[in-house]
Amino acid sequence: MKISRRPALSEDERLAALGRLLTDTDTPMRLRVAGVIVLLYAQPLTRIVQLTVDDVLHDGQTTLLRLWEPASPVPAPAAALLLAYIAERDNMNTATNQASRWLFPGRRAGRPARPDHMSSRLREIGIPVAAARGAAIRQQLLELPAPVVADALGYHDKTTNRLLRESGGTWSRYAAGDHLRSPSGWTPHRLTDG
């Protein structure tokens, strides 16, 4: 995945935007959820709109979002917002969309939301997508080894290593092993519409 060369948000700006999206009930829930995914997981909107409800795994306590393999844990406040959104997704009232599995159903039957439309709507509420993605990936790289971030978020390892160097990160090695396995005893359950 390519990451924009535009200036990233500062970590304070990223956290402020994330806090606002998690608490601002005046902002449409679909924009809040899409913005949270950008700010936490540095995903492009072209990928976000391709997510389905089946990419949200919930076992009653833990919520994971399958961006790549392995699925990424969703922090509690974001998980609550995501699960509430799934229960109330919009654009589901037409006869052709009632069984839609898209996390962000579009206005056209059987199609997800358009990424360009989602981007302009996020910009309107103060979330510059490219800058938000840049801030999110750089923060991930300060907290986790570049290869782990690359695998979890679907980035090329060369990209994460370059961004790590640019952000002044110090990870140079990480524990060997199979990082694709889910924790022992954890069984994901797919969410269903309903």
Side-chain angles (χ1 to χ4, degrees):
M1 267 182 217
K2 292 184 179 179
I3 193 87
S4 171
R5 289 286 191 179
R6 294 180 198 166
L9 299 176
S10 71
E11 182 59 4
D12 288 340
E13 291 170 324
R14 184 182 80 88
L15 291 176
L18 189 56
R20 184 172 47 84
L21 291 176
L22 290 171
T23 59
D24 181 7
T25 56
D26 291 334
T27 299
M29 199 177 292
R30 100 182 330 226
L31 295 178
R32 293 171 61 200
V33 169
V36 164
I37 294 171
V38 169
L39 289 162
L40 286 178
Y41 304 106
Q43 294 298 295
L45 289 173
T46 53
R47 170 73 180 114
I48 291 172
V49 299
Q50 293 296 316
L51 293 171
T52 68
V53 293
D54 300 319
D55 291 318
V56 178
L57 310 170
H58 183 68
D59 72 351
Q61 294 179 340
T62 304
T63 302
L64 300 175
L65 182 60
R66 188 184 307 119
L67 302 166
W68 300 95
E69 291 298 333
S72 298
V74 181
L81 178 67
L82 180 59
L83 296 173
Y85 168 71
I86 288 171
E88 302 173 16
R89 284 179 299 155
D90 52 357
N91 292 341
M92 298 294 292
N93 294 333
T94 64
T96 53
N97 259 359
Q98 289 179 347
S100 176
R101 305 301 293 163
W102 295 115
L103 187 57
F104 299 99
R107 292 183 179 177
R108 293 183 144 178
R111 305 288 307 221
R114 291 187 6 244
D116 59 330
H117 184 283
M118 183 81 71
S119 179
S120 67
R121 294 291 314 276
L122 284 169
R123 235 183 346 267
E124 288 172 8
I125 63 164
I127 307 297
V129 175
R133 285 184 60 219
I137 188 73
R138 284 173 174 81
Q139 186 59 38
Q140 291 276 347
L141 289 167
L142 291 174
E143 297 173 5
L144 298 167
V148 172
V149 173
D151 287 346
L153 301 182
Y155 281 79
H156 193 280
D157 61 338
K158 288 182 181 181
T159 301
T160 56
N161 281 311
R162 177 182 52 78
L163 291 170
L164 176 66
R165 285 189 307 277
E166 290 174 4
S167 63
T170 58
W171 287 100
S172 61
R173 292 184 269 248
Y174 71 103
D178 182 1
H179 299 282
L180 296 177
R181 288 196 324 240
S182 293
S184 178
W186 191 84
T187 306
H189 298 281
R190 293 181 188 261
L191 294 174
T192 58
D193 286 337

